[in-house]
Amino acid sequence: SMHHKAHVQKEPQSSANHLTVVPVKGPVCSVWNDGAPSGKTNLPPLPSTSRTGSAESSVRERMREKLKAARSKAKINLSQEDPSPRPRRLKNIRERKTEARLAKMVRECVGSRCSNDKKLQNDFPSAEEAYNFFTFNFDAEPESIKAGARKRNELNEEEEAEEEHVETHEDEQEEDETLLDILHAFLFNFSLVPASEKMPGNVQPRYLEDEGLYTGERPFVSQSNQNILENRILRQERWFGDDGKILALPNPIKQSSTRPPIFSLEEGIAPELETVYRKAIKVTAANQYLVGPGDFQGPFQLDIDISGLIFTHHPCFSREHVLAAKLAQLYDQYLARKQKNLTKLLTDKLHALRNAVQCSIDGGDTGVPSPVAQQSIPEYKIEIRQTRRLRDAEQEKDRMLLKTIIKVWKQIKSLRDFQKFTNTPIKLYLRKEEVDQRSDEKAYEAEIQAEINELLEECMEEYEKKKEEYKTELQEWKSWKKAQSKKKKKKKDVNEEEESVEDGDLGEERVKPIPPKMANSLEIEQQVREKADNCRRKPGEPALIPELVLSGSITPTELCPRGEVLRREDVKKRSAFIKVLFNSKEVSRTVTRPISSDFRVHFGQIFNLQIFNWPESLKLQIYETTGMSSTTLLAEVFIPVPETTILTGSAPLEEIEFSSNQRVMLDHEGVGSGVSFSFEADGSNKMTLMTSGKVSNSVSWAVGEKGIPLIPPMSQQNTGIPSALKNFDAIASIGTSGLTDMKKLAKWAVEAKLDPNDPNNAALMQLIMVATSGEARVPDFFRLEQLQQEFNLVSDEEFNRSKRFRLLQLRNSEVAEFRNYKQVPLHEREISEKIFQDYEKRLQERDVIDSKNYLDAHRAVVANYLQKVRESVINRFLVAKHHFILSDLVNEEEIPSLGILGLSLFKLAEPKRPLKPRRKERKKVTAQNLSDGDIKLTDSLSVRPFVEVSFQRTVCRTTTAEGPNPNWNEELELPFRAPNGDYSTHSLQSVKDEVFINIFDEVLHDAVEDDRERGSGIHARVERHWLGSVKIPFTTIYFQARIDGTFKVNIPPVLLGYSKEKNLGIERGYDSVRNLSEGSYITLFITIEPQLIPGESVREKFDTQEDEKLLQAAAKYEAECTSKFPSRQCLTTVIDLNGKTVFITRYIKPLNPPQELLDAIPNSSQTAELVARYVALIPFLPDSVSFAGICDLWSTSDQFLYLLAGDEEEHAVLLCNYFLGMGKKAWLIIGNAIPEGPTAYVLTLEQSQYVIWNPSTGCFYGQYDTFCPLQNVYCLISCDNIWFNMQEHDSPVRISFDISKPKLWKSFFSRSLPYPGLRSVQPEELVYQHSDKAAAVELQGRIEKILKDKIMEWRPRHLTRWNRYCTSTLRNFLPLLEQNQGKDIEDDHQAELQKQLGDYRVSGFPIHMPYSEVRPLIEAVHSTGVHTIDVSNVEFALAVYIHAYPQNVLSVWIYVASLVRNR
Amino acid sequence: MATAGARPLAPGRAAPGAMAAAGSPSVFLVAVNGQIESGQFPGFDDLYCKFCFVYGQDWVPTAGLEEGISQITSKSDVSPSTLVWNFPIDITFKSTNPFGWPQIVVSVYGPDFFGNDVVRGYGAVHVPFTPGRHTRTIAMFVPESTSMLQKFTSWFTGRRPEFTDPRVVAQGEGREVTRVRSQGFVTISFNVMTKDMKKLGYEVSSSDMQNPSLVPEGIHKY
């Protein structure tokens, strides 16, 4: 916008200046300069007699100053002016108006100034008078003005043009009679002046224009006026140019007016804005039918005469034919050159130029060469040089051509001798033309002498120039030398100690310049003679004129060898025809004519084409047929559509060349086509010829019966721009777009040989000069909405100030906070500032790390980092969201296969209410159309315990069942609310909420406090004791659509008041597989109603650094695998955090677990568990949460440990790498598990048993463990290979993990594709930060406080008492749990607690979690519902213990308990 | 089923601003009533139609039904070309911004050769801006199958391509990926009243249009 404003302000100013210069300059100068101090003047309004010289000169002075000032101002303004072109027409019109107004003002100003002067001095013309003076037509020029005019000529160049027209009226009233008489007698002599009188001595008139020099166009002056002038001038001084004409400047009048006058027809409307009504004209497009429906213009006819075909090469050509064709071609060339005779032309020109120079130097009789001639001599000389060079080249060509003709003819002769037969009638005669030896020699010598002289002169010039240069250089060198020696002396005298230092400066010695050499005239002569020998006929040598005749006889076939006979027979079999195609449609074809032995085909057919379509193209197709069968298209020839002047009868026959790229090889004498052959015996000098030839044809417009040519109207003919014209029309030759491209324009100017001295081209030349010198540049930007500002309804500032606009804008740009903002208020005052507060806070806090929520600086940094990544990904996703595909909009059934059709027939016979119903797939709904309250989570459960499901703080519970193996079979519905009411895919993906499924035991306590009341009523208090929980993240449900299976219930290691049933199952071989089936399980089915479709991941092609071949192999492998087992995921490449595709095996590499863990327990199997536990302690964060919309991103183990967050694959990769680092055999399993869905597990081989590790929980399972959450195994990945499961089943229980069997496991790298040794993306070694115990303790305290506050907050209506004694007991107890990893201590613990808290009934349990942030901890405590107890005398205890592992991995234990005092 | 899906409207939701200060209203109201009069679907019979309103984020319906489903109507001998529903519409909106002016989306369904309910046309038109009585004829269209084979199977199975949501026809985004075929017309009459539009600076009738109902109405092809 700044730009615009600057523009608006400046332009009128500058343009005004233009005008002050242009229209005012002429008249003003003329008026006041015209008062030349001649004694008399004839101007009527000028009372010259009373005019004082001083006054006149002062006014003139003033006007001049004014002019000067205006001009300099204009210049300044021009230089200040914005270099960018004015792109806006609207403005231009406005400007023009102001210009006009300004011009008028200036004119008035000048006028008034004049009149003021007049009033003051009373002897100057008024403005009107001055105006009349210039507009009147005067016929003759009084003598008195001449002198003045001449002087002015020198004074002011710009005014010259005007002077010629300044003539005064003849019959003036005040005219002195006597003067008039004299004038008449002396001046008005109308007789024509003979040229001889005008030229000095015997000099012939020269016509510069004929010599090719630019003269410009003379202004029109009537012949009589010219005569008068000439007569007048003749008697005075030299007024004439060399051509005998009076000296004149080119016509200053521009062809087109700069400013066309605009007249307004209507009142009140500015003429520029007036609209003109034009009746609509129907335009027929160029390629339409000529004949419109309404206006039949008569038939149009094109006559196409195809007379014949001559092959310049044909496959059946014998060697002789090839040579003959060559000779004929050369001869044609010779004839063409002879006709043009360039050599002669150039020689003549050279002579003429030399004469001209001679003339100029001699300079006629006066001995004083005219300045014009003087000036033109160097030009002539340059011209001479160029012409000479051209002539020499032409001469050389001529001679070469002659030589080649003779050579080819000799070849033919020798070939005929060799093969002993003749094939062609061609014969070459060389006619010798005797020349006069003496005159020839003389001319030759003269030529050489002239050339030598010129060259010598050239060299001399060069020498002079160089000498001049040498002199100046020498001068410089000498003065430098002097200075040097002076300096040296000085220094030596003044301070000798510094000498050494100073010497350094003098180090660089200047080289003394070398004087140039004078050219040797002998050398030059030798050069010239050598050249002449080479390219010119020697003097006295007869001139050779070749003549080609076709009078030879051809050897009859009987006398020829077999090869030749075959060839001749082959030729006889061949014939040719031509198809005529008009606008690419075949309209007719010639008869098929045999190819004659001399390879000519005569057709002589004329086709009359009556045309209705615009002729766009005319094409001939040449076909050749061999024998009876094959017809081949030899070539296509395009014929230009004739110009309208070419009519039948007058059209010349033209030969159009064609050539074909077909390759023909023949088994006889024919040389073939596209086949290389040689004339030499040794086979060198190979040549390859293609079938080619000429079609002689003529195309013309027919002439109708009455002699009317049948040509479509000219107006619509837009094709025939003569090429010559293009040279003069810049726009036609470079196109309109070229006009903006200055370089192109400059190039065109050079090519078109634009005369830079022609003032007509001055503007253009200046523009080019300026443009190419880089002073003014074309802007390198392109403005799209250049008129935007005009259409802005409010200014930008106002727009930004308005809260309403801001709100609307933010909503429109889909900023998260405002995306779903409903009802933007209409009035500014109704929008509170608070609306933007959150948003602004977020913007500000983007870089501020908030440690409040995280309690840990490192995690805060990481969270911040993740937040940023998330934002950028979401933005990308938002863009992708607006991209629809058909299935987003239209529901269309897929094409059913026959199988499905068959099945649907079977369905008819299906029982309506089957005994074991299966869940049907439901119709999917795109999330975009949903609104709040539409979606519910449905659970159905399959223990006197009851289950409570909480989601988003909404709680639902089942009825209470009885016994340790309860059955509920109930359906619970929980509403779901998307954040900000946004049900778009990316928003749903980033929902972090979890579904808590808690199992409680309902305990009834006798609440009767007074025994007396017993019997009259039942007073029981229901208490609930938390038994365990299952957590399922919402995203898992969202992506899985349904979750169906049996889950292990997360039971706290200590459940006060409960004991576990010991499962004495079958002892298994490996102790790490022990107590597997221990624990409680729950069967669930969870789904979302309606079903939501998880968003398609944004498919993008990711960058990669992998080898292209490897990627191809990977794609092939994946395709092969999925074609066999479409449901099994085959993973070969993954995307790293930088968004690059990486081959998966690069992630697997043995890595060192923290030394601390290895040292902790000596037993190796337990170490493995500890490591798994460590990995599981790293918080789980699904990628879909952090990087919504983009598929899985795999971070390397060091990145994972830094971010301390990741999903299954990061955990699995780290665990697998640790196991490898510990020397175990380990693989990554890509498979499917419940509840997480597609996931990654770790497989280890321990003592010939396969163990499956869940990296996210740290649990491990035997292969045959039925409760293993891993359901399907798709592929295994090690550090150097990938194996795809090719077995029928994919459940771990039913498959073999023996990867050595290729039938069961298809490996990626094999013998055919060996492992190339891919470098791992993992670091060499993991470096761990030591755990910060102090920080952990501090964090521990803070979390405890936060949780206590929360519990009190959740019990707003009750008093929450904290039992300190109990808390400290629990606190001491928690580290014990951590040590034992939560196992095998319950009995002791319980006993001890029992002992310590003797008279309390304690119900509570420890919760164990990995630490990421506080919120999940709060949620977990809340979900247990400990706070819900509402016994009046209840007390609480809460203890937190944080154990810090290396790399700041924190294990959090929270012990919550409620205590009720026993009485 | 669509009527059941209509959002229950609490009476208290009526524009508070409009009542608060008669002098300077903060919302304007647009009351629309009328009826879906008839349809012309040559070659089809026993059709019913559904309608719903689509409006911008700044619009809130204050009274009336947003969605509705009509009875099935059959052709009569009286006028064999028109199917008359005469299904009433009555709804009031309040708004703060003319952007997202409500549109009525009509979709017509009927049985095909095999008796399956298939869609016979979708169409949408903006609620007229000017107060008064207006009649609109909407040209209806249905999405086309993507291939000839699809066309056949969809005819055979009775599951023609449908828009995932009829509201699609009221929005411009993403339409470029669909192909439709026009099919029949539906005529709707509207009676429109507005309140406080002018006060809030929205001029809907031009000065020379004294009686907007007299403006000739042609077919609005959407």
Side-chain angles (χ1 to χ4, degrees), chain A residues 1167-1186:
Chain A
T1167 317
E1169 277 173 57
L1170 196 65
V1171 167
R1173 188 180 146 77
Y1174 175 73
V1175 171
L1177 276 175
I1178 300 171
F1180 180 84
L1181 181 76
D1183 282 349
S1184 57
V1185 176
S1186 35

Side-chain angles (χ1 to χ4, degrees), chain A residues 811 823-824 826 882 889 891, chain B residues 57-58 96 162 164 173-174:
Chain A
R811 185 175 73 180
Q823 288 233 302
V824 174
L826 215 133
H882 288 282
L889 290 176
N891 272 335
Chain B
Q57 283 177 315
D58 297 323
T96 58
E162 282 176 26
T164 49
E173 213 180 18

Side-chain angles (χ1 to χ4, degrees), chain A residues 804 808 811 819-824 826-827 829-830 882 884 886 888-893 895 929, chain B residues 24-26 57-58 60 94 96-97 145-146 149-150 159 161-165 168 173-174 177-178 200:
Chain A
R804 181 163 188 265
L808 287 168
R811 185 175 73 180
R819 197 181 301 141
N820 294 294
Y821 196 90
K822 300 256 160 77
Q823 288 233 302
V824 174
L826 215 133
H827 298 290
R829 56 170 193 273
E830 289 164 26
H882 288 282
F884 289 87
L886 183 67
D888 292 338
L889 290 176
V890 178
N891 272 335
E892 193 175 16
E893 289 287 312
I895 299 172
N929 304 318
Chain B
S24 66
S26 61
Q57 283 177 315
D58 297 323
V60 175
K94 69 165 180 182
T96 58
N97 193 346
S145 297
T146 43
L149 181 61
Q150 287 268 19
R159 292 182 195 165
E162 282 176 26
F163 283 122
T164 49
D165 187 342
V168 163
E173 213 180 18
V177 301
T178 61
L200 292 166

Side-chain angles (χ1 to χ4, degrees), chain A residues 1155-1396:
Chain A
Q1155 198 57 40
E1156 206 179 305
L1157 300 179
L1158 298 176
D1159 298 341
I1161 313 157
N1163 185 330
S1164 80
S1165 73
Q1166 281 189 13
T1167 317
E1169 277 173 57
L1170 196 65
V1171 167
R1173 188 180 146 77
Y1174 175 73
V1175 171
L1177 276 175
I1178 300 171
F1180 180 84
L1181 181 76
D1183 282 349
S1184 57
V1185 176
S1186 35
F1187 312 113
I1190 289 252
C1191 40
D1192 264 358
L1193 296 183
W1194 285 45
S1195 39
T1196 58
S1197 295
D1198 53 334
Q1199 283 167 342
F1200 175 48
L1201 281 171
Y1202 172 75
L1203 291 175
L1204 285 182
D1207 62 1
E1208 301 99 352
E1209 60 263 8
E1210 275 89 16
H1211 285 91
V1213 166
L1214 184 65
L1215 187 62
C1216 184
N1217 291 345
Y1218 280 161
F1219 285 156
L1220 289 168
M1222 289 158 70
K1224 286 177 188 286
K1225 278 197 155 185
W1227 298 268
L1228 204 65
I1229 305 175
I1230 304 295
N1232 192 41
I1234 49 167
E1236 53 271 46
T1239 185
Y1241 274 59
V1242 175
L1243 179 77
T1244 53
L1245 180 63
E1246 317 251 2
Q1247 300 169 5
S1248 74
Q1249 271 193 33
Y1250 288 101
V1251 182
I1252 295 163
W1253 298 77
N1254 182 348
S1256 319
T1257 59
C1259 298
F1260 56 92
Y1261 310 89
Q1263 191 190 342
Y1264 304 103
D1265 192 334
T1266 42
F1267 290 108
C1268 176
L1270 186 69
Q1271 303 291 301
N1272 317 95
V1273 177
Y1274 301 145
C1275 46
L1276 294 179
I1277 293 152
S1278 78
C1279 60
D1280 54 5
N1281 213 340
I1282 303 167
W1283 292 271
F1284 184 77
N1285 182 6
M1286 299 293 279
Q1287 299 165 63
E1288 191 184 339
H1289 300 284
D1290 52 11
S1291 164
V1293 186
R1294 304 177 74 171
I1295 60 168
S1296 155
F1297 279 111
D1298 189 357
I1299 50 166
S1300 59
K1301 290 183 176 143
K1303 268 198 174 168
L1304 303 180
W1305 295 94
K1306 180 184 166 69
S1307 65
F1308 183 80
F1309 294 113
S1310 56
R1311 240 176 256 150
S1312 58
L1313 181 74
Y1315 177 65
L1318 300 171
R1319 215 174 68 85
S1320 173
V1321 291
Q1322 302 285 11
E1324 277 307 305
E1325 193 182 5
L1326 289 175
V1327 180
Y1328 300 92
Q1329 271 174 19
H1330 279 290
S1331 52
D1332 188 350
K1333 296 268 196 275
V1337 170
E1338 198 208 324
L1339 185 62
Q1340 184 179 313
R1342 283 163 72 182
I1343 290 174
E1344 199 172 308
K1345 184 163 183 306
I1346 289 170
L1347 289 177
K1348 277 183 176 168
D1349 287 351
K1350 281 283 173 196
I1351 288 181
M1352 289 193 279
E1353 196 184 305
W1354 294 329
R1355 295 166 52 83
R1357 285 175 300 150
H1358 302 279
L1359 190 64
T1360 307
R1361 279 188 290 261
W1362 296 97
N1363 190 316
R1364 286 206 191 161
Y1365 177 70
C1366 183
T1367 301
S1368 67
T1369 318
L1370 295 173
R1371 197 176 285 147
N1372 295 333
F1373 175 67
L1374 282 169
L1376 223 76
L1377 280 169
E1378 177 63 35
Q1379 264 176 32
N1380 295 327
Q1381 295 160 40
K1383 280 179 226 147
D1384 292 341
I1385 46 156
E1386 43 214 292
D1387 294 345
D1388 316 345
H1389 167 64
Q1390 217 150 355
E1392 191 176 337
L1393 266 186
Q1394 227 35 271
K1395 201 173 83 196
Q1396 282 178 358

